[in-house]
Amino acid sequence: MKPKAVVVGGSIAGVSCAHTLILAGWDVVVLEKTCEPIKGSPTGAGLGLDPLAQRLIQSWLDDPELLYSSTLPLTIDMTTKGLQNQNAVSSRANITLRIFVCKQNQATDSEKKVSWTLTRDDNFNFRAAHWADLHGLLYNALPPNILLWGHLFLCFCISEDKTSVKIKAKVLETDEEIEIVGNLLVAADGSLSSIRQSFLPGLKLRYSGYCAWRGVFDFSGNENSETVVDIRSSYPELGKCFYFDLGSETHSVFYELPNKRLNWIWYVNQPEPELKRNSVTMKVRSEMIQKMHREAEKVWIPEFVRVIRETKDPFLNLIYDTDPLEQIFWDNVVLVGDAAHPTTPHGARSTNMSVLDAAVLGKCLEKNGVENLQAALREYQTTRLPVVSKQVLHARRMGRIKQGLVLPDHEAFDPKNSRSEDYQEVQQKNMPFFDDVPLLLI
């Protein structure tokens, strides 16, 4: 009989694992508490796929071209410097920096309407996707009945001989509790992983010191509106570039998504809000959104502010990570994705790390077989842990620099006194293992 894996969590990490474990010869069932296939997501906005993640995802699809038809190129990495909204009255310095992940660094003076480039990398070669679009591609390419919607994970227990694991879940539609027995439990249940907590009860997420306002501006049917025409004039590389605008103690991210959408993120330093539910996404009220709009006018150029104002249902993410874990498997339970390495988003790594986790785990299981499960999980841990640990810490450092926060070996970043080294340091290509391909996948 085929070995069986139970994956808890049906997000991108979970469905990626389903693909790779099936390819490795395993039976797979995925438990997801959401009650139906995801057509959109209030917490899933834009993401960037690196070349390796693109290649892996294509290998899991019946039609590899589907990935390219549902994404846009991000071929430039750019940074810019210039004056912020000239009409703003703010205690912030009147300078912002723009970094494009095409990736180019360019400066813009919003008063004189001129800009200049600080750094630029034309070989970025990422692609922009909407979370729901990518999830739909991966889910639709799975065999039927692999993913069990509306199944809430409750608990698990490992057999005395360590050869099997029993998972208990609740079917939300009926309140029935069911048990599933497998050879392997894969925890793809996110940064607040309850499975990880079973082994590391004292582990707490580390609040970064800032939150992120996020939104997707849909301009379909309004391609020639004043807002769209003006924003394309201010951000001329939209559709192939990942823009970072850096200001005093703040920064934003801006790029285009397929199907006439613009994705934006604005990071704001603030004390840690109190969460009232098990989520790093905070429910926002209309007065919070209105206050955010007023603050945006003090910081960003009018064209960008208009996009923010016209975005429906913006939401607020609290930004967390953890210090790198010392291990990511116990017996026949293994962590993948954000459960294994909660990270801040500044290295554009979270989804890419999840896809690569899944690929490496599948290859380790295929290579060693279920009879050598411990050896397979040990190889997975040995391969991934050094990489993700350095990437998590580097993303943390990038975020603190961009937000003007203190670092032991780095003065607080200030656009008024910034140096060329500062711009170079926050380029994506400086991420550890940026172009690395594990030997297992070659």
Side-chain angles (χ1 to χ4, degrees):
M1 294 178 64
K2 286 185 177 182
K4 184 172 185 177
V6 180
V7 180
V8 174
S11 190
I12 288 174
V15 293
S16 296
C17 284
H19 280 285
T20 61
L21 269 62
I22 290 171
L23 290 171
W26 285 59
D27 279 336
V28 180
V29 59
V30 181
L31 304 178
E32 169 54 45
K33 63 184 178 182
T34 305
C35 290
E36 59 183 10
I38 301 162
K39 296 183 176 62
S41 173
T43 60
L47 53 90
L49 294 173
D50 66 24
L52 178 56
Q54 295 170 40
R55 177 166 65 84
L56 292 170
I57 291 170
Q58 284 184 303
S59 72
W60 306 335
L61 302 177
D62 294 332
D63 181 2
E65 291 301 314
L66 286 174
L67 181 64
Y68 286 108
S69 64
S70 60
T71 58
L72 285 180
L74 291 176
T75 57
I76 311 165
D77 185 2
M78 186 187 304
T79 307
T80 66
K81 177 179 180 180
L83 298 180
Q84 67 188 61
N85 187 347
Q86 60 178 323
N87 299 316
V89 179
S90 172
S91 61
R92 301 182 188 273
N94 65 342
I95 296 176
T96 60
L97 305 176
R98 179 172 298 165
I99 304 175
F100 304 83
V101 173
C102 340
K103 190 169 178 188
Q104 172 172 316
N105 299 324
Q106 169 181 304
T108 302
D109 184 326
S110 65
E111 195 169 324
K112 298 179 180 179
K113 301 301 182 185
V114 297
S115 63
W116 60 99
T117 297
L118 300 173
T119 66
R120 179 170 180 134
D121 176 7
D122 289 287
N123 299 306
F124 192 58
N125 295 329
F126 276 45
R127 293 191 73 85
H130 190 277
W131 186 94
D133 295 343
L134 180 60
H135 186 274
L137 276 182
L138 292 169
Y139 167 62
N140 291 328
L142 286 173
N145 305 320
I146 291 288
L147 203 155
L148 303 182
W149 299 99
H151 282 62
L152 176 65
F153 167 80
L154 298 176
C155 60
F156 70 93
C157 66
I158 301 170
S159 65
E160 290 186 9
D161 62 2
K162 313 295 185 184
T163 62
S164 66
V165 58
K166 182 187 296 183
I167 295 89
K168 183 179 290 186
K170 177 188 285 189
V171 183
L172 295 179
E173 187 176 2
T174 63
D175 278 342
E176 174 191 6
E177 292 188 2
I178 64 170
E179 291 182 347
I180 304 174
V181 178
N183 304 98
L184 175 66
L185 171 59
V186 180
D189 53 342
S191 60
L192 295 170
S193 171
S194 59
I195 297 174
R196 184 187 66 223
Q197 190 174 10
S198 300
F199 298 102
L200 301 171
L203 181 69
K204 302 294 183 184
L205 294 182
R206 183 201 69 94
Y207 179 59
S208 65
Y210 48 91
C211 295
W213 280 99
R214 305 188 67 178
V216 175
F217 173 57
D218 186 342
F219 61 93
S220 55
N222 296 296
E223 293 88 344
N224 298 316
S225 68
E226 182 180 359
T227 298
V228 175
V229 170
D230 288 350
I231 201 66
R232 289 201 182 280
S233 176
S234 297
Y235 295 80
E237 303 275 11
L238 276 174
K240 60 180 180 179
C241 193
F242 198 13
Y243 288 85
F244 294 92
D245 287 347
L246 303 187
S248 294
E249 299 181 358
T250 190
H251 76 286
S252 66
V253 182
F254 191 47
Y255 56 98
E256 188 168 355
L257 297 172
N259 301 318
K260 312 298 181 184
R261 293 171 291 183
L262 299 174
N263 182 73
W264 59 267
I265 310 170
W266 174 23
Y267 296 94
V268 180
N269 293 344
Q270 66 178 71
E272 182 177 6
E274 182 180 351
L275 286 178
K276 297 183 179 180
R277 58 193 181 98
N278 190 35
S279 173
V280 295
T281 299
M282 186 175 180
K283 188 174 182 179
V284 295
R285 303 182 302 274
S286 60
E287 57 266 30
M288 295 171 65
I289 296 174
Q290 291 168 10
K291 181 180 179 181
M292 180 266 289
H293 290 165
R294 293 192 296 271
E295 291 298 314
E297 291 177 348
K298 300 176 183 179
V299 180
W300 305 119
I301 60 173
E303 295 84 356
F304 186 35
V305 173
R306 203 180 312 152
V307 168
I308 292 174
R309 281 187 169 276
E310 294 181 19
T311 298
K312 294 181 179 179
D313 302 320
F315 57 95
L316 192 63
N317 272 156
L318 280 63
I319 307 301
Y320 290 93
D321 67 8
T322 64
D323 291 336
L325 305 184
E326 295 182 359
Q327 65 184 99
I328 50 177
F329 88 94
W330 294 262
D331 298 322
N332 47 353
V333 179
V334 64
L335 308 180
V336 299
D338 289 341
H341 37 73
T343 184
T344 58
H346 309 292
R349 298 310 306 162
S350 180
T351 299
N352 293 300
M353 285 194 286
S354 298
V355 169
L356 192 48
D357 286 350
V360 170
L361 178 60
K363 286 295 183 182
C364 290
L365 294 172
E366 181 181 16
K367 173 183 173 183
N368 290 277
V370 69
E371 63 276 8
N372 297 307
L373 181 58
Q374 292 298 299
L377 298 183
R378 193 173 297 111
E379 184 174 16
Y380 164 74
Q381 177 175 275
T382 301
T383 302
R384 293 299 292 145
L385 202 52
V387 175
V388 299
S389 297
K390 289 188 176 182
Q391 292 184 337
V392 166
L393 293 177
H394 187 79
R396 177 188 298 182
R397 180 180 178 84
M398 289 175 67
R400 294 192 70 82
I401 291 173
K402 292 177 179 180
Q403 287 298 108
L405 298 172
V406 175
L407 284 165
D409 62 342
H410 198 291
E411 294 182 1
F413 176 81
D414 184 345
K416 292 183 296 183
N417 305 311
S418 55
R419 305 161 299 172
S420 60
E421 310 84 275
D422 296 323
Y423 316 138
Q424 299 291 341
E425 189 170 2
V426 297
Q427 281 198 303
Q428 298 294 324
K429 66 181 180 182
N430 293 319
M431 173 65 65
F433 302 99
F434 182 71
D435 292 323
D436 182 66
V437 179
L439 289 176
L440 278 166
L441 304 181
I442 295 177

